[in-house]
Amino acid sequence: MTHHVSTMLDTYPKDLGPVSRDTLAACIEACFECAQTCTACADACLAEDMVADLTGCISINLDCADLCAATGRVLTRRTGDNPGVTRALIEACLAACRACAEECERHAQMHEHCRVCAEACRRCEQACADLLAALA
Amino acid sequence: MTHHVSTMLDTYPKDLGPVSRDTLAACIEACFECAQTCTACADACLAEDMVADLTGCISINLDCADLCAATGRVLTRRTGDNPGVTRALIEACLAACRACAEECERHAQMHEHCRVCAEACRRCEQACADLLAALA
Amino acid sequence: MTHHVSTMLDTYPKDLGPVSRDTLAACIEACFECAQTCTACADACLAEDMVADLTGCISINLDCADLCAATGRVLTRRTGDNPGVTRALIEACLAACRACAEECERHAQMHEHCRVCAEACRRCEQACADLLAALA
Amino acid sequence: MTHHVSTMLDTYPKDLGPVSRDTLAACIEACFECAQTCTACADACLAEDMVADLTGCISINLDCADLCAATGRVLTRRTGDNPGVTRALIEACLAACRACAEECERHAQMHEHCRVCAEACRRCEQACADLLAALA
């Protein structure tokens, strides 16, 4: 999907400003991917026989999915200029990705979906950190 | 809708923790109301003859709608415990509501939808501030 | 919230077309309320000791919440004219509300959150049916 | 992203049923990609000098983004079984993708973002049609 995200950024009719296009595209892509993966991990946890032990994981999965979806949309929009809002949202998204990764890593050896989800969360956490640094 | 939000909080089968139920319900309600109002304001701006002067307003309206919708969902979920994520998200939502209110207030005299939207944003900003104080 | 939905419809700068404003406002309001209630019911089910018996309920709760949220947003937008899309979406939303109500009604006597959620789903199902009839 | 969607489907702990995993993964991926692309196209239209001529395009872009996002989430969830809801939602998503593609194709020669967006909508329309046929 990075390809499509970058392609759309290239078609933006006005100046995109000083932010690195690659860093921005990588973060948008990571947010959409993480939203999908966390939605899938919540559902896979729900299908496990031991679901009663996974309710905390399901809950942070759902929160992380909602936050990544909102962040992916807000970052996609380049019109208007609210750097304070963008920065606060990326920080919240980074915190959700970290919390979800830590939770999933606890059962990564038992549940393959948690292992894959933890990786997607760590990638998105890093992409958020990179974008925050680029915006500084 | 506050009534329904409170009713559902009352049915939660486990302890809701130390947070004031009324403060929480008020913030959830304000988030859903603000998400709807900002979506409507973006659409009303789009229908104005002078839409070219309102693109910044439309953009922050859409961002604020996405942030309020995500915050309303995350606050609705009481299972799991990620106070750091919740706090960062409320702060981002508060920042978006403030930015959207400031933008809408600039054309509140000319556009009734911006006047009503600014009020919804200010209510949600305050509800976020109240909840942050209650969580401290 | 109906009050705020109606107020925003009143500020729309162009003609809203032949649809009854009250029927439309009632459906938008029901969609947002149902999205919140289903999100809360999924979370309350997750907090039940017998969560393993409620995974089907959680899943349809989450689907219904997503569909109601999308329908509430699309119905809020009055600019542009895609009656076929709107009609198909309301039909899908109505089907989700009915399925979620039927599932929740099965454990309404045991779980108060399912009883309240079933009522919200039935209200939204009816509001969707009313709007479909008004659009015919 | 198809790779990640497929990887998560492979980790689902229960039977995925008779649906073709590739057809399902392709539709989920197309929905997320189309949601991102339509969000970007709405924003790029907003940044055009001739935005007043593009308000219908922005509106269907926003509707299509909401519908694709909801459809991508619902299709990602495999727990529970509501084939009627899923089918109605895919049909609504297909209708939105077709309407958005038709609108964007009208100014594809003038606006590169509309050309790219129309392609994403056509891909998602086809992926929905393929999945509907596979579910029959």
Side-chain angles (χ1 to χ4, degrees):
Chain A
M1 197 164 108
T2 318
H3 176 64
H4 303 105
V5 173
S6 293
T7 301
M8 285 305 284
L9 285 176
D10 287 342
T11 68
Y12 188 73
K14 291 221 166 64
D15 186 10
L16 282 172
V19 67
S20 151
R21 197 169 301 205
D22 287 351
T23 309
L24 177 62
C27 194
I28 294 171
E29 153 72 5
C31 283
F32 276 86
E33 181 195 308
C34 197
Q36 197 275 328
T37 307
C38 284
T39 302
C41 190
D43 183 63
C45 286
L46 212 54
E48 293 283 357
D49 292 333
M50 58 178 291
V51 57
D53 298 326
L54 296 169
T55 57
C57 190
I58 292 170
S59 187
I60 185 65
N61 269 326
L62 294 174
D63 284 356
C64 193
D66 282 338
L67 251 162
C68 286
T71 307
R73 280 173 169 239
V74 170
L75 291 178
T76 296
R77 284 184 206 111
R78 310 316 304 163
T79 304
D81 191 24
N82 297 285
V85 175
T86 304
R87 173 167 287 276
L89 178 55
I90 302 172
E91 282 168 356
C93 188
L94 187 155
C97 290
R98 180 179 293 159
C100 194
E102 287 172 358
E103 176 65 34
C104 279
E105 282 163 2
R106 262 180 249 156
H107 6 93
Q109 291 204 302
M110 195 178 299
H111 302 301
E112 179 70 1
H113 47 84
C114 287
R115 192 188 64 72
V116 177
C117 187
E119 288 181 1
C121 290
R122 289 296 183 196
R123 264 195 304 276
C124 195
E125 179 192 358
Q126 187 60 53
C128 287
D130 291 346
L131 186 54
L132 280 173
L135 294 173
Chain B
M1 197 163 110
T2 318
H3 176 64
H4 303 107
V5 173
S6 293
T7 301
M8 285 306 284
L9 284 176
D10 288 341
T11 68
Y12 188 73
K14 291 223 165 65
D15 187 10
L16 281 173
V19 68
S20 151
R21 198 168 301 205
D22 287 350
T23 309
L24 177 61
C27 193
I28 294 171
E29 154 71 4
C31 284
F32 276 86
E33 181 196 310
C34 198
Q36 198 275 329
T37 307
C38 285
T39 302
C41 190
D43 184 63
C45 286
L46 212 53
E48 294 284 358
D49 291 334
M50 58 179 290
V51 56
D53 296 326
L54 296 168
T55 56
C57 191
I58 293 170
S59 186
I60 184 65
N61 270 326
L62 294 175
D63 284 356
C64 194
D66 283 337
L67 250 161
C68 286
T71 306
R73 281 173 168 239
V74 169
L75 291 178
T76 296
R77 285 185 206 112
R78 309 316 304 163
T79 304
D81 191 24
N82 298 287
V85 175
T86 304
R87 173 166 287 276
L89 179 55
I90 302 172
E91 283 168 356
C93 188
L94 188 155
C97 290
R98 179 178 294 159
C100 194
E102 287 172 358
E103 176 65 34
C104 279
E105 283 161 2
R106 261 179 248 156
H107 6 93
Q109 292 205 301
M110 195 179 298
H111 303 301
E112 179 70 2
H113 46 84
C114 287
R115 194 189 62 73
V116 177
C117 187
E119 288 181 4
C121 290
R122 289 296 183 196
R123 266 196 303 277
C124 196
E125 179 191 359
Q126 187 61 52
C128 287
D130 292 345
L131 186 55
L132 280 174
L135 294 173
Chain C
M1 198 164 110
T2 317
H3 176 63
H4 303 106
V5 173
S6 292
T7 301
M8 285 305 284
L9 285 177
D10 287 341
T11 68
Y12 187 73
K14 292 222 165 66
D15 186 11
L16 281 173
V19 68
S20 151
R21 198 169 301 205
D22 288 351
T23 309
L24 177 62
C27 193
I28 293 171
E29 153 72 5
C31 283
F32 276 86
E33 182 197 308
C34 198
Q36 198 275 329
T37 307
C38 285
T39 302
C41 190
D43 184 62
C45 286
L46 212 53
E48 295 283 358
D49 292 334
M50 58 180 289
V51 56
D53 297 325
L54 295 168
T55 56
C57 191
I58 293 170
S59 186
I60 185 66
N61 271 326
L62 295 175
D63 284 354
C64 193
D66 283 337
L67 250 162
C68 286
T71 306
R73 281 173 168 240
V74 170
L75 291 178
T76 296
R77 285 186 206 111
R78 309 316 304 163
T79 304
D81 191 23
N82 298 287
V85 175
T86 304
R87 173 166 287 277
L89 179 56
I90 302 172
E91 282 168 356
C93 188
L94 188 155
C97 290
R98 179 178 293 159
C100 195
E102 287 172 357
E103 176 65 35
C104 279
E105 283 162 3
R106 262 180 247 157
H107 7 93
Q109 291 205 303
M110 194 178 298
H111 303 300
E112 179 69 3
H113 46 84
C114 287
R115 193 187 63 72
V116 178
C117 187
E119 288 180 2
C121 290
R122 289 296 184 195
R123 265 195 304 277
C124 196
E125 179 191 359
Q126 185 61 53
C128 287
D130 292 346
L131 186 54
L132 280 174
L135 294 173
Chain D
M1 198 165 106
T2 317
H3 176 63
H4 303 106
V5 173
S6 292
T7 301
M8 284 306 284
L9 285 177
D10 287 342
T11 68
Y12 188 72
K14 291 221 165 65
D15 186 10
L16 281 173
V19 67
S20 151
R21 197 169 301 205
D22 287 350
T23 309
L24 178 61
C27 193
I28 294 171
E29 154 71 6
C31 283
F32 276 85
E33 181 195 309
C34 196
Q36 198 276 328
T37 306
C38 285
T39 302
C41 190
D43 184 62
C45 286
L46 213 53
E48 294 283 357
D49 292 333
M50 58 179 290
V51 57
D53 297 326
L54 295 168
T55 57
C57 190
I58 292 170
S59 187
I60 185 65
N61 269 326
L62 294 175
D63 285 355
C64 193
D66 283 338
L67 250 162
C68 286
T71 306
R73 281 173 168 239
V74 169
L75 291 179
T76 295
R77 285 184 207 112
R78 309 317 305 164
T79 304
D81 191 23
N82 297 287
V85 175
T86 303
R87 174 168 285 277
L89 178 56
I90 302 172
E91 282 168 357
C93 188
L94 186 155
C97 290
R98 180 179 294 161
C100 195
E102 287 172 358
E103 176 65 35
C104 279
E105 283 162 3
R106 261 180 249 156
H107 6 93
Q109 292 204 302
M110 195 179 297
H111 303 301
E112 179 71 2
H113 46 85
C114 287
R115 193 188 62 75
V116 177
C117 187
E119 288 181 1
C121 291
R122 289 296 183 196
R123 266 195 303 275
C124 196
E125 179 192 358
Q126 186 61 52
C128 287
D130 291 346
L131 186 54
L132 280 173
L135 293 173

